[in-house]
Amino acid sequence: MIERSASMPMGAELAAFQVVDDGAGNPLRVLGNAVGTLRANSALTTNLNGIVLGNPNCKGLLLFVNVTTPVAGTTPTLQLRVNAIDPITGTAFPIWTPAALSPPVANTEYVYAMYPAALAGSFTVFLNNILPRSWSVDLLVTGAGVSVPMSLGYGLLT
């Protein structure tokens, strides 16, 4: 934290941080890239609707799907669905549904990138788009007797 000293002009401590408008005329400090876990490693056997997350002020998103031990079931598929959340009703609206992994391969990491400009790198899938203020990620599985051991992590990109 930067503290004001007698030699520092009033307001200079705020100048050390990038600040944006929160949409209601209030200053909001810009945060750097952030990472987190959406799903710890465990077997996914049915569709799972993700929790609603807030985007403080980032533009894009990386999703890391790590399929661990062998996948079970007949014709298993795994698909992600990224949603924008309506701030009034809380309704999820799909904004990106990449092609399903059919089948998801054990001991493989898939990386999905969504950003409003091209990114260099070897991504499983890339979408030129922005991340909304409220968002979620659903996991969709199909097939008979499917069990997909996997984890899901994320990174917010400024």
Side-chain angles (χ1 to χ4, degrees):
M1 177 173 172
I2 297 176
E3 295 185 20
R4 195 172 85 69
S5 68
S7 64
M8 186 182 288
M10 187 64 91
E13 67 274 12
L14 291 178
F17 301 110
Q18 184 180 4
V19 178
V20 295
D21 188 307
D22 71 352
N26 302 308
L28 181 65
R29 182 175 163 200
V30 174
L31 302 175
N33 295 348
V35 296
T37 301
L38 294 173
R39 178 181 171 78
N41 190 31
S42 62
L44 181 67
T45 57
T46 62
N47 291 346
L48 179 67
N49 291 332
I51 61 168
V52 176
L53 296 170
N55 171 14
N57 46 34
C58 293
K59 296 177 187 172
L61 174 68
L62 289 176
L63 293 171
F64 302 90
V65 176
N66 187 3
V67 178
T68 55
T69 59
V71 175
T74 305
T75 62
T77 67
L78 173 64
Q79 188 170 31
L80 303 178
R81 180 173 57 212
V82 178
N83 304 301
I85 308 299
D86 181 323
I88 297 171
T89 65
T91 304
F93 292 97
I95 58 172
W96 186 27
T97 307
L101 301 172
S102 180
V105 178
N107 302 314
T108 302
E109 184 163 42
Y110 301 93
V111 181
Y112 299 82
M114 184 173 75
Y115 198 74
L119 293 175
S122 299
F123 300 108
T124 304
V125 179
F126 175 81
L127 175 68
N128 184 344
N129 200 352
I130 59 169
L131 183 65
R133 176 69 74 176
S134 298
W135 59 282
S136 68
V137 178
D138 300 335
L139 296 169
L140 312 171
V141 292
T142 61
V146 172
S147 177
V148 180
M150 53 85 63
S151 63
L152 176 61
Y154 73 92
L156 297 178
L157 304 173
T158 55

